[in-house]
Amino acid sequence: MSFELAPVLADLEAVCGVPTPARGAGPDTVVTIPAAKAHAALERLKARHGFNVLVDLTCVDFLGFGAGTAHKSPAPEGARFKLVYRLMALDAASGLSNGRVALDAWV
């Protein structure tokens, strides 16, 4: 089974109500979503696209970036942390991955 990203992006945009920019390709695709919609987006990916494994959940702190530092912050105004959810659709029968994607949300 080959993984199609377009339906996943369309569903995420429907859940989030805003465009969900994606970067990267294949299993390295990262989609940015609003933090307030993270739970709904994760539920939709599990129910409709079979993303049943949370491979990794991490947070990046951008404290040393932005105003008063030598480094421009990649964070939107008022945000400091980026949550990153890495998901996989695992076929339990074969043990093979049917797709991978990462979601990130600024808080």
Side-chain angles (χ1 to χ4, degrees), residues 3-85:
F3 175 65
E4 300 257 350
L5 184 60
V8 171
L9 292 177
D11 253 357
L12 287 173
E13 287 190 7
V15 167
C16 295
V18 296
T20 52
R23 60 192 184 282
D28 297 321
T29 301
V30 180
V31 182
T32 300
I33 60 170
K37 300 291 185 173
H39 188 262
L42 292 166
E43 283 184 330
R44 177 75 61 101
L45 290 178
K46 182 178 180 182
R48 291 204 181 165
H49 302 282
F51 285 95
N52 54 357
V53 177
L54 177 62
V55 176
D56 188 34
L57 172 61
T58 191
C59 180
V60 181
D61 182 357
F62 286 91
L63 174 65
F65 292 80
T69 72
H71 308 286
K72 182 177 185 229
S73 177
E77 185 66 34
R80 174 176 156 186
F81 300 99
K82 179 167 64 169
L83 295 174
V84 182
Y85 303 85

